[in-house]
Amino acid sequence: MDTRVRQTDGASTDATRGIPFTASLTFRQAAVTLLIVAVLGLLAGMVELGADWKSMRAEIQEHTHRSLELVSGSAAEAAFQFNDELAGQVVDGLFAHREMEQVVLRDNFGGVIAERQRHDLAEPGALVQRLFGDITRYSVNLSHSVGGASASSVGALEVTLAPGEIGARFVERGLVIFVVGLAKAVIISALVVLIFFFMITRPLIGLHTAITRIDPTRPGHWPRPSFPRHEKDELGQIVTGLDNLMQAFQQGLEQRDRARDENMRLGAELDVSRRIQQILLPSRAELDAIEGLDIATHMEAAQEVGGDYYDILSHEDGVRIGIGDVTGHGLESGVVMLMTQSAVRTLLTSREKDMVRVMDVLNTTIYNNVQRMGCGKNLTLALLDYTMATAAELPAVAGHLRISGQHETVIIARHDGHMEVVDTDELGFPIGLVEEMAHFVGEISLDLHQGDVVVLYTDGITEAADEQHRLYGQDRLMEMIASHRAESAEFIKDAIINDVKRHIGNQTLYDDLTLVILKQK
């Protein structure tokens, strides 16, 4: 056990040595962390820079106003007395500030008493003008009173700040903000990477090393790693899960020979089930004996036992047609299909005509049997009741069709070329999925005229894929129906199946193909 612990802690094993550093988990983790923190730091720096810009503008305005207030008295005295020396002292005092571009002291006639201006300043850029151009000019009216009389205007003190100098100071402060932010990002990234390396990355590297040393012929004896302080977290659960998986693989290898014998026995059972399915399908003689309808059918299983269901049952009041698709295919799906066929026939024999009652009893039967089987199967199922029109309704209407249950759409090609699509999603619920489903069941009724074609199918038709994984689709199916609607039901069926096979090409058939064509005579 100690040897295995030392192996998992080493990051330079043979398994990890072959991985380029730039492709390693540690490098990618560090790069992503640094990028995220850098972006967040940049955004935070932009926000902080914006706040500093607002603060700096307020600071400049406040400082300038305060400076003008401090010298306004002396400036007013100099303007009143026309004292050039005092005026020069006032102007020089203000001009000593770095941001000052021009200071002018005027008398009340607009004449200049004293002026200072910098001529060596560079022209500020458009961005600087946009940021600070509106706070560079200030003017204070000067007033003076003599002997208690009311104050009178004696001149003005005008100040112009240099935007370039203000912008330079703003850039200096911004650089400090971004440098400090970048340093924080690097430090945070390093701390996060180190923490995650010791908490997650290094154990994962150890787990990777252990997995690469698994002997495929003896997976149950793999060098299971041990991670102290990770026994109860996700890493510990991963190791436990992998160990369970390896043990299961080991048992699977040991049971391989027994499985071969079991598969042979199961193959024989599947063959019997397939033969039972074929026996229970309606015969050609049964279909030909049905009055009012020209019927053609096709069912082809993707495996030896299919999960598709269809049946056509003639009774004294008309014909009941059923089509469905059990989830999956194989023996269990085939058994559910056989149960459905038996239940539908039983309900028809009992003369139950209420579709809600039929679907509810059928669902309860299938649900209970599926629960007993423990296979979790269910099926989509649509039931159609056909009755011939009465003599009084002829020749305007030749037959009536009631549709109930949730399955694929029902396509109807009218004799005049009009195409109709009946969506069955609102007419039912998957059979065997829930215990009670009566409130989900709906029903619609349609009139059929001579030459109308009704097409029922399972999704194996529309979802048949070619070598480029393109589906056959409902649109192409409808085109085939429309172009051959004037032909017999058998001709329409053969045309559709042949077209589906051409679409599939050499692809494997992954789902059952079931097609039922009903044509009103």
Side-chain angles (χ1 to χ4, degrees), residues 63-85:
H63 176 72
T64 304
H65 285 302
R66 189 167 58 247
S67 299
L68 291 175
E69 289 176 1
L70 288 175
V71 302
S72 60
S74 300
E77 186 71 25
F80 178 74
Q81 298 177 1
F82 295 98
N83 188 334
D84 294 340
E85 182 179 356

Side-chain angles (χ1 to χ4, degrees), residues 3-131:
T3 301
R4 289 193 296 184
V5 172
R6 286 195 296 272
Q7 290 174 347
T8 59
D9 288 342
S12 61
T13 62
D14 293 338
T16 58
R17 197 177 292 136
I19 300 177
F21 176 71
T22 54
S24 66
L25 190 62
T26 302
F27 175 81
R28 294 166 66 184
Q29 176 184 316
V32 171
T33 303
L34 180 60
L35 178 62
I36 293 174
V37 175
V39 171
L40 294 178
L42 179 63
L43 294 176
M46 294 295 291
V47 173
E48 188 175 353
L49 190 62
D52 185 66
W53 169 70
K54 292 183 179 179
S55 173
M56 185 174 177
R57 285 172 57 90
E59 177 185 322
I60 290 172
Q61 291 175 302
E62 181 182 356
H63 176 72
T64 304
H65 285 302
R66 189 167 58 247
S67 299
L68 291 175
E69 289 176 1
L70 288 175
V71 302
S72 60
S74 300
E77 186 71 25
F80 178 74
Q81 298 177 1
F82 295 98
N83 188 334
D84 294 340
E85 182 179 356
L86 179 59
Q89 292 175 356
V90 172
V91 171
D92 288 339
L94 290 173
F95 196 70
H97 293 288
R98 172 184 172 186
E99 292 86 2
M100 292 296 176
E101 180 179 348
Q102 184 180 31
V103 181
V104 180
L105 178 59
R106 301 180 186 274
D107 58 24
N108 58 342
F109 301 105
V112 177
I113 301 175
E115 179 182 9
R116 299 290 184 272
Q117 182 175 4
R118 302 186 200 275
H119 299 283
D120 57 347
L121 297 175
E123 186 69 21
L127 179 60
V128 173
Q129 284 286 10
R130 186 177 181 84
L131 293 176

Side-chain angles (χ1 to χ4, degrees), residues 262-282:
E262 182 67 16
N263 286 337
M264 292 178 63
R265 182 187 64 80
L266 184 59
E269 293 180 356
L270 289 174
D271 184 61
V272 172
S273 299
R274 179 183 60 81
R275 292 176 62 186
I276 293 175
Q277 278 188 326
Q278 295 297 325
I279 291 172
L280 291 177
L281 293 177

